[in-house]
Amino acid sequence: MSDAGSEELDNEQNQLGEYEGNRNDAGERHGFGRAVLPNGDIYEGQYQFGKRHGQGTYRFKNGARYVGIYSQNMKHGEGVFNYPDGSKYEGSWAEDLRHGYGIYTYPNGDTYDGQWHKHLRHGQGTYHYHSTGSKYKGSWENGKMESEGEYIHSNHRYKGNFVKNNPSGPGKYVFDIGCEQHGEFIQGEQDKADGEWAELAQITNVKWIPKYISGPTYNSPVRKASALEREAAAAE
């Protein structure tokens, strides 16, 4: 959801609303203050030259809340945003956008822990699926799984490349028992992805082509010598 809210209504040109707090010699809000906006939103925190600047808490009428750093009226720095739908973001902001490192908890319990760029998942990050326990760990670009990554399950994982949330090209399944199935994902004819990829809502039309299996070398077990055999060997 959008968290732009109605903060832009709070400015010195808007003569409505209430303000209690410090001002500078020019009459601007400066220092600590509390503002009640005409729409019912409330800001309590630091001001500088008439603008929200420094640590503050902004409570939206719709139930959303931001607690963190402001710069020139914009969320900028470290902060926590609680959304009305129950989701939550904890991390870095730049000019009112999620930007840098942060953790987002979604209403269904899913979480993303990683890098952001202008409100989108971008860079290295891990998305954890609450309902299944599976997770994707790897690269993101403009909100989508992109380039090298791993899709991790309880007893196996897939490692390979991704293009716009789709596994694509050469990759391999790595199983906890030690073996690996190598193959390639190609565009398939089915209308919807099957199996584990069905968890990813945007993944469609992909088909796994297995090629070969590799695994550990199983050596013959070494039998432990009995006490009588050790004694006989020592007597020789």
Side-chain angles (χ1 to χ4, degrees):
M1 64 166 285
S2 171
D3 59 10
S6 54
E7 294 178 72
E8 71 262 14
L9 295 177
D10 183 20
N11 55 62
E12 289 299 316
Q13 285 71 43
N14 188 348
Q15 299 301 318
L16 301 177
E18 301 175 2
Y19 174 76
E20 296 180 1
N22 298 322
R23 294 181 181 269
N24 59 17
D25 293 340
E28 299 170 315
R29 301 173 187 182
H30 195 87
F32 184 83
R34 183 177 186 272
V36 180
L37 281 69
N39 65 357
D41 291 354
I42 298 173
Y43 172 76
E44 188 171 16
Q46 296 295 320
Y47 282 87
Q48 185 180 76
F49 303 115
K51 296 183 178 181
R52 294 182 296 277
H53 193 91
Q55 182 70 34
T57 299
Y58 194 106
R59 293 180 174 85
F60 294 81
K61 185 180 179 179
N62 65 6
R65 184 178 75 250
Y66 171 76
V67 180
I69 305 299
Y70 277 93
S71 177
Q72 300 295 306
N73 266 357
M74 295 182 289
K75 297 181 287 293
H76 194 90
E78 295 298 309
V80 178
F81 201 111
N82 290 274
Y83 298 86
D85 62 3
S87 57
K88 180 180 180 180
Y89 174 76
E90 305 173 74
S92 296
W93 298 79
E95 298 182 351
D96 267 345
L97 302 176
R98 296 185 290 271
H99 193 89
Y101 172 76
I103 301 173
Y104 198 111
T105 302
Y106 296 85
N108 64 356
D110 290 357
T111 59
Y112 172 76
D113 183 336
Q115 296 295 317
W116 296 79
H117 180 77
K118 295 183 177 180
H119 253 9
L120 297 175
R121 297 184 292 269
H122 191 93
Q124 292 296 307
T126 300
Y127 192 103
H128 182 271
Y129 296 85
H130 175 72
S131 62
T132 63
S134 300
K135 61 184 177 181
Y136 169 82
K137 181 179 181 181
S139 180
W140 299 78
E141 185 175 329
N142 295 323
K144 298 182 183 296
M145 304 171 193
E146 195 78 26
S147 190
E148 186 176 356
E150 295 182 73
Y151 197 73
I152 304 169
H153 299 273
S154 61
N155 59 0
H156 71 282
R157 66 184 62 199
Y158 172 76
K159 301 176 68 174
N161 280 339
F162 290 76
V163 177
K164 294 181 179 179
N165 278 349
N166 293 284
S168 180
K172 64 181 179 180
Y173 283 91
V174 181
F175 297 90
D176 288 354
I177 59 175
C179 66
E180 300 178 353
Q181 184 185 69
H182 299 253
E184 182 177 5
F185 268 107
I186 63 173
Q187 292 296 312
E189 297 179 356
Q190 69 268 35
D191 293 330
K192 186 176 181 180
D194 298 323
E196 67 202 51
W197 301 111
E199 295 180 15
L200 307 178
Q202 298 182 27
I203 288 184
T204 58
N205 299 326
V206 291
K207 184 178 182 181
W208 172 248
I209 306 298
K211 294 186 176 180
Y212 65 94
I213 295 176
S214 64
T217 301
Y218 294 96
N219 298 319
S220 298
V222 178
R223 185 172 61 85
K224 186 176 180 180
S226 66
L228 291 175
E229 289 173 329
R230 291 196 299 270
E231 290 177 0
E236 293 178 354

